[in-house]
């Protein structure tokens, strides 16, 4: 679905699918250049990173491996709970590998800082972070983010993998919700 299909549910569109595709291609190029000759293990964080993982990996020219983790952070509301729990761990061993975490969005950074500590203890060759969206005011001191798709205002957004109460992940554009949806 695109924004026109759910006009009533959205306040405004932040990024169209064309803008997102363009930016993903630019970030993929940057990553390709940085990792020249080294295989990368992309670790996608379910469920939100589904779309960016799929598009980013296909926009890259290097060989990649892919693995997934699922972590609980948000319930069905719009604020970070601070509760971080591994719901699904990686399938493979990351020892000696160049790990690139692929995230949908970083808000407080709590989820990611926990994750980085956890993965570092498994002795990868390196760990870097790519996030499609970073909210303004993110606690950047918690983690270093290597690749950012877009910086966005501190508002709750949906689409391109991001949900509200399980919905809107399949929205191809990214936008803010109309207040009547969450109030
Ligand atoms: P953090 O731990 O506060 O950085 O939260 C990160 C996680 O919260 C993301 O991976 C998303 O699953 C979720 N999240 C944060 N902000 C939003 C948003 O605006 N829309 C949808 N999900 C969000």
């Amino acid at each position: 679905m695109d924004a026109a299909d759910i006009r009533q549910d959205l306040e405004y569109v932040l990024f169209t699918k064309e803008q997102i595709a363009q930016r993903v291609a630019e970030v993929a190029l940057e990553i390709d250049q940085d990792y020249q000759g080294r295989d990368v293990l992309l670790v996608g964080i379910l469920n939100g990173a589904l779309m960016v993982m799929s598009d980013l990996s296909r926009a890259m020219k290097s060989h990649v491996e892919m693995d997934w983790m699922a972590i609980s952070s948000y319930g069905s509301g719009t604020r970070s709970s601070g509760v971080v729990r591994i719901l699904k761990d990686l399938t493979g061993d990351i020892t000696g590998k160049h790990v690139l975490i692929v995230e949908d969005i970083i808000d407080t950074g709590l989820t990611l800082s926990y994750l980085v500590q956890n993965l570092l203890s498994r002795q990868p060759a390196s760990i870097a972070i790519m996030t499609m969206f970073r909210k303004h005011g993110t606690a950047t001191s918690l983690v270093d983010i290597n690749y950012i798709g877009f910086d966005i205002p501190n508002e709750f957004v949906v689409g391109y993998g991001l949900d509200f109460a399980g919905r809107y992940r399949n929205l191809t554009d990214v936008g803010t919700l109309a207040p009547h949806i969450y109030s």
Side-chain angles (χ1 to χ4, degrees):
M1 63 167 64
D2 63 26
D5 297 317
I6 52 161
R7 206 177 289 284
Q8 305 302 316
D9 291 15
L10 298 178
E11 189 156 64
Y12 61 90
V13 173
L14 269 168
F15 304 105
T16 62
K17 67 174 177 202
E18 290 80 13
Q19 289 170 314
I20 293 169
Q22 167 68 32
R23 186 64 194 133
V24 168
E26 289 167 6
V27 174
L29 184 66
E30 240 185 280
I31 296 171
D32 276 332
Q33 286 169 347
D34 290 352
Y35 283 87
Q36 278 174 28
R38 287 177 294 167
D39 284 9
V40 190
L41 171 66
L42 300 177
V43 171
I45 309 304
L46 294 168
N47 296 317
L50 171 71
M51 305 298 176
V52 57
M53 181 82 153
S54 164
D55 288 344
L56 181 79
S57 59
R58 286 178 299 164
M60 286 175 65
K61 310 247 180 260
S62 331
H63 287 293
V64 296
E65 288 180 71
M66 293 188 226
D67 207 341
W68 301 89
M69 277 182 97
I71 287 166
S72 77
S73 50
Y74 273 47
S76 57
T78 59
R79 289 256 62 87
S80 189
S81 64
V83 178
V84 179
R85 206 156 48 94
I86 294 181
L87 303 177
K88 182 221 168 290
D89 208 340
L90 296 172
T91 309
D93 185 10
I94 62 166
T95 310
K97 296 196 173 179
H98 293 286
V99 173
L100 178 60
I101 298 172
V102 179
E103 254 288 28
D104 49 359
I105 190 164
I106 298 178
D107 181 2
T108 62
L110 277 171
T111 311
L112 215 50
S113 76
Y114 167 82
L115 192 64
V116 168
Q117 291 317 311
N118 183 293
L119 295 185
L120 274 175
S121 70
R122 307 182 196 192
Q123 268 120 40
S126 66
I127 291 194
I129 298 167
M130 182 275 166
T131 185
M132 192 60 217
F133 303 101
R134 180 177 65 175
K135 282 198 188 173
H136 182 74
T138 294
T140 42
S141 58
L142 283 178
V143 279
D144 285 334
I145 305 162
N146 309 76
Y147 307 97
I148 298 168
F150 297 106
D151 271 307
I152 64 168
N154 197 5
E155 287 187 81
F156 195 82
V157 295
V158 294
Y160 198 61
L162 294 164
D163 75 308
F164 174 70
R167 293 176 124 190
Y168 307 104
R169 290 193 198 278
N170 60 327
L171 172 63
T172 53
D173 312 295
V174 166
T176 57
L177 281 177
H180 75 88
I181 300 292
Y182 55 82
S183 56

